[in-house]
Amino acid sequence: MTVRSFPLTLRVTVSETTPDEIRKTAVAHALEFFGSGTELDVISAEAEPDEERDGHYRATVVFRKVA
């Protein structure tokens, strides 16, 4: 069986209070998955109020490693 190379995307969901905190936390998770020092593309990012945590926003960010 031949293993083919294909691009992976990673969907990360975080809950933070500010856009900067959302970015920092989401990127940290992506680098943990893809490896530190990896250059990343953000495919999409959406945020909404987090109904479970007052004053927080839940964001889902989709990353892909730059080829």
Side-chain angles (χ1 to χ4, degrees):
M1 177 177 176
T2 303
V3 176
R4 296 179 186 221
S5 179
F6 55 89
L8 288 175
T9 59
L10 175 68
R11 182 180 310 267
V12 176
T13 302
V14 298
S15 179
E16 298 291 349
T17 58
T18 67
D20 286 339
E21 289 176 349
I22 288 170
R23 288 182 191 100
K24 181 179 178 182
T25 303
V27 167
H29 286 293
L31 291 174
E32 191 175 298
F33 178 79
F34 287 113
S36 64
T38 300
E39 189 176 354
L40 302 169
D41 274 336
V42 174
I43 306 303
S44 67
E46 295 183 14
E48 63 187 6
D50 188 339
E51 295 180 10
E52 296 177 8
R53 297 179 72 192
D54 190 39
H56 283 70
Y57 295 87
R58 181 180 311 189
T60 300
V61 185
V62 180
F63 292 95
R64 180 174 55 209
K65 182 178 176 180
V66 173

